[in-house]
């Protein structure tokens, strides 16, 4: 499609953005009616006669959310073996997605996760420029976005719509109200206008991974597998093996995830230290993972534990592929509810996860507010430790995860002895079942091998 035609769509969209600036309101149905005329005029709404479908997947949030999307990405490929699949992700996620064998190309979109209402026109213009430069030329026949709700939802919907995809599949914008016993009437300005196939899942489907897969089922696709995947290559694995060679032979090797996206999800490092001292006395060994932000805590643990049974890999942080490769060579994960726990689940490690959400908060709007219900370790042997009761002021507030202080607060009620007791149970399982971890997905040896693996999913002519 020639660039002159792109300018027709761009001009219409810019007019809509200017209306937002002038009126201080975003009327999505009005914007869609104007842009649909332009998309239709330029052939974006015609049924494609091409033998190969162009499919778009939009996922703009963080590491753990992307890992939970891995089964859906795979199942889209299984249903469309000959399609050209484009994945649009947050720039920070690229190293984790780079070796995904189920997509043909990855485009990165760099933006801040949060923005104020008065910055909406700026975000819209940024997405419009991205669509004009990278997406319109691909003329997508089908697009998926998987965000269920919250502030990130609108970004996913907007990117999907601006892409020009003929069919656009995703959750309705007010899906969270399903758990408030409210009806879900059409709204003048909701994001449903941006979709051609809006999805409302059954309320009992709460886990984020299950919700991702349900979108595909609702659209009519078949689901063959539901397990998570994380992708790293032979070089990543070689480095991990070299760093662990000769370390704590005969002991249970435990990867420890001390990072978290917020302080409310972080377990106090001093309490971790108490637990790890006992676990080492019982025959465990500790491998600390995390990014530069965890360096101080990692050094604290390393300096206060027996050095021969501790490896601190935070100082040599090489990213999520490296962490995944290290996890694949260990026996157990202990750590916070964060991206690292999803990564551990993807390599099927037995897991002890610490969650800030108190047990007495779990059944309050579970599909909207329960981190425990939405992000429970997926399809791996797990023990999740949580406080019994939320502390004031969290006890009387409604929020995601139940803790609102901005500090390590409700989660700090978990005692080190609880971690040690959970370790005893998991260690007994590992020793007596003979299962150190279940099998991982096939390895990709290099970027060059990615196309060879992808070719397995192309339908024979």
């Amino acid at each position: 499609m020639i660039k002159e035609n792109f300018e027709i769509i761009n001009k219409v969209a810019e007019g809509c953005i200017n209306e937002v600036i002038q009126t201080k309101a975003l009327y999505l149905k009005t914007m869609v009616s104007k842009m649909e005329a332009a998309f239709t005029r330029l052939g974006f709404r015609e049924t494609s006669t091409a033998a190969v479908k162009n499919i778009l997947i939009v996922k703009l949030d963080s590491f753990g959310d992307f890992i939970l999307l891995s089964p859906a990405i795979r199942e889209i490929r299984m249903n469309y073996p000959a399609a050209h699949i484009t994945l649009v992700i947050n720039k920070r996620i690229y190293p984790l997605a780079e070796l995904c064998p189920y997509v043909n190309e990855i485009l990165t979109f760099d933006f801040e996760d949060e923005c104020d209402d008065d910055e909406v026109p700026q975000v819209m213009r940024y997405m419009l420029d991205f669509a004009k430069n990278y997406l319109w030329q691909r003329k997508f026949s089908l697009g998926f976005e998987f965000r269920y709700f919250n502030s990130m939802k609108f970004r996913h919907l907007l990117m999907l719509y601006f892409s020009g995809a003929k069919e656009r599949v995703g959750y309705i914008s007010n899906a969270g109200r399903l758990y408030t016993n409210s009806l879900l009437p059409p709204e003048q300005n909701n994001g449903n206008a941006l979709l051609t196939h809006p999805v409302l899942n059954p309320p009992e489907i709460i886990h984020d991974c299950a919700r991702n897969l349900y979108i595909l089922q609702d659209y009519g696709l078949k689901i063959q597998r539901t397990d998570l995947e994380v992708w790293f290559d032979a070089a990543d694995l070689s480095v991990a093996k070299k760093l662990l060679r000769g370390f704590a032979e005969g002991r249970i090797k435990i990867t420890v995830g001390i990072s978290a996206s917020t302080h409310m999800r972080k377990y106090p490092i001093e309490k971790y230290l108490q637990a790890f001292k006992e676990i080492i006395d019982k025959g465990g060994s500790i491998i600390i993972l995390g990014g530069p932000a965890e360096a101080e805590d990692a050094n604290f643990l390393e300096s206060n534990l027996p050095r021969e049974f501790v490896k601190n890999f935070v100082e040599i942080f090489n990213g999520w592929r490296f962490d995944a490769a290290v996890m694949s060579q260990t026996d157990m994960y202990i750590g916070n509810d964060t991206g690292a726990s999803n990564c551990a689940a993807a390599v099927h490690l037995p897991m002890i996860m610490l969650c800030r959400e108190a047990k007495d908060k779990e059944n309050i709007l579970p599909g909207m507010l329960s981190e425990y219900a939405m992000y429970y370790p997926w399809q791996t042997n797990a023990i999740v430790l949580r406080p019994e009761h939320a502390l004031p002021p969290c006890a009387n507030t409604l929020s995601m995860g139940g803790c609102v202080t901005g500090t390590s607060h409700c989660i700090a009620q978990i005692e080190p002895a609880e971690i040690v007791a959970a370790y005893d149970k998991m260690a007994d399982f590992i020793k007596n079942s003979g299962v150190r971890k279940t099998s991982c997905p096939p390895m990709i040896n290099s970027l060059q091998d990615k196309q060879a693996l992808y070719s397995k999913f192309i339908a024979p002519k």
Side-chain angles (χ1 to χ4, degrees):
M1 184 174 292
I2 59 176
K3 290 185 178 180
E4 288 79 2
N5 288 341
F6 289 178
E7 288 305 319
I8 294 173
I9 307 172
N10 191 68
K11 185 176 181 180
V12 173
E14 280 285 354
C16 296
I17 294 171
N18 289 333
E19 287 183 15
V20 174
I21 295 171
Q22 293 167 9
T23 63
K24 304 297 183 183
L26 174 58
Y27 297 99
L28 284 177
K29 289 185 178 180
T30 302
M31 183 188 80
V32 168
S33 67
K34 293 178 179 180
M35 291 194 66
E36 280 300 297
F39 278 132
T40 300
R41 175 182 171 188
L42 298 175
F44 280 81
R45 301 302 181 241
E46 296 174 0
T47 301
S48 175
T49 59
V52 176
K53 279 182 174 287
N54 283 340
I55 297 176
L56 174 66
I57 301 171
V58 176
K59 192 63 174 172
L60 300 178
D61 34 21
S62 199
F63 296 97
D65 299 295
F66 179 76
I67 293 172
L68 293 178
L69 186 68
S70 61
I73 297 174
R74 178 186 61 239
E75 296 309 299
I76 290 173
R77 169 57 69 201
M78 297 300 106
N79 281 269
Y80 298 100
H84 186 280
I85 299 177
T86 299
L87 175 65
V88 175
I89 55 172
N90 189 313
K91 183 179 181 179
R92 294 172 299 177
I93 306 303
Y94 181 76
L96 188 63
E98 184 180 17
L99 293 174
C100 174
Y102 306 117
V103 302
N104 299 81
E105 62 178 345
I106 300 171
L107 303 177
T108 60
F109 181 71
D110 191 14
F111 77 113
E112 294 297 325
D113 288 353
E114 301 293 340
C115 73
D116 297 327
D117 289 344
D118 59 1
E119 295 175 313
V120 167
Q122 178 183 340
V123 173
M124 293 177 70
R125 187 167 282 118
Y126 198 8
M127 287 191 170
L128 181 64
D129 288 343
F130 184 86
K132 179 174 67 174
N133 293 328
Y134 301 106
L135 303 181
W136 292 344
Q137 59 191 282
R138 287 160 173 79
K139 207 170 182 182
F140 295 106
S141 55
L142 175 60
F144 296 93
E145 70 85 20
F146 293 87
R147 196 65 182 164
Y148 190 67
F149 67 93
N150 80 8
S151 60
M152 290 287 294
K153 173 68 172 172
F154 176 68
R155 317 295 175 78
H156 287 72
L157 284 170
L158 197 63
M159 177 67 81
L160 183 63
Y161 185 75
F162 277 168
S163 74
K166 180 178 183 291
E167 294 184 62
R168 301 174 301 280
V169 185
Y171 279 118
I172 65 171
S173 59
N174 55 351
R177 288 175 56 193
L178 188 66
Y179 299 93
T180 66
N181 296 318
S182 299
L183 296 177
L184 296 167
E187 296 176 6
Q188 175 64 28
N189 296 322
N190 70 14
N192 303 342
L194 304 176
L195 298 168
T196 59
H197 189 93
V199 178
L200 180 64
N201 73 309
E204 63 270 18
I205 296 179
I206 290 177
H207 197 285
D208 203 52
C209 189
R211 283 174 170 167
N212 292 338
L213 292 168
Y214 182 78
I215 283 181
L216 306 185
Q217 289 181 305
D218 189 83
Y219 187 65
L221 305 188
K222 294 181 179 180
I223 305 301
Q224 300 179 51
R225 287 172 48 194
T226 59
D227 54 303
L228 301 178
E229 294 189 30
V230 63
W231 306 286
F232 51 92
D233 62 17
D236 299 316
L237 186 59
S238 177
V239 171
K241 286 182 175 180
K242 181 178 179 180
L243 291 172
L244 289 172
R245 188 171 297 133
F247 171 64
E249 294 292 344
R251 285 176 166 259
I252 292 178
K253 294 181 176 63
I254 306 159
T255 46
V256 170
I258 58 176
S259 65
S261 58
T262 68
H263 288 291
M264 294 175 286
R265 290 183 176 181
K266 279 194 171 186
Y267 187 65
I269 198 68
E270 297 81 8
K271 290 196 167 188
Y272 266 140
L273 176 63
Q274 294 178 50
F276 294 151
K277 283 181 177 179
E278 289 194 51
I279 287 171
I280 287 175
D281 287 343
K282 290 172 174 284
S285 59
I286 305 297
I287 299 103
I288 310 166
L289 299 176
E294 284 69 56
E296 183 178 346
D297 285 346
N299 290 335
F300 172 78
L301 290 176
E302 183 181 25
S303 62
N304 287 283
L305 292 170
R307 291 295 182 94
E308 65 269 31
F309 302 129
V310 180
K311 286 281 187 180
N312 179 3
F313 288 160
V314 170
E315 293 287 1
I316 58 168
F317 176 68
N318 286 318
W320 282 95
R321 278 172 36 192
F322 169 74
D323 283 2
V326 170
M327 287 181 179
S328 75
Q329 300 304 298
T330 62
D331 307 305
M332 187 189 303
Y333 170 86
I334 299 178
N336 301 324
D337 173 13
T338 184
S341 62
N342 292 320
C343 191
V347 297
H348 308 292
L349 279 182
M351 182 185 310
I352 300 165
M353 188 178 82
L354 281 66
C355 182
R356 64 172 168 167
E357 182 180 290
K359 294 178 182 179
D360 59 4
K361 304 281 278 189
E362 176 188 344
N363 294 318
I364 303 173
L365 306 180
M368 292 179 64
L369 302 179
S370 176
E371 283 179 340
Y372 172 76
M374 286 190 273
Y375 304 110
Y376 186 90
W378 183 256
Q379 294 185 354
T380 193
N381 294 295
I383 298 172
V384 180
L385 301 178
R386 297 185 290 157
E388 290 290 333
H389 306 287
L391 297 172
C394 308
N396 299 315
T397 59
L398 293 178
S399 67
M400 173 69 80
C403 187
V404 298
T405 61
T407 63
S408 179
H409 182 238
C410 292
I411 195 172
Q413 297 178 84
I414 301 170
E415 292 299 332
E418 296 179 67
I419 301 175
V420 176
Y423 167 80
D424 288 339
K425 291 180 181 178
M426 199 62 78
D428 183 67
F429 164 76
I430 292 171
K431 291 173 182 176
N432 294 324
S433 70
V435 176
R436 299 189 79 80
K437 58 181 171 51
T438 52
S439 60
C440 299
M443 296 296 297
I444 301 172
N445 293 320
S446 68
L447 281 171
Q448 288 72 32
D449 289 343
K450 176 180 172 181
Q451 185 60 37
L453 183 56
Y454 162 71
S455 66
K456 291 169 55 179
F457 305 108
I458 296 180
K461 296 181 178 178

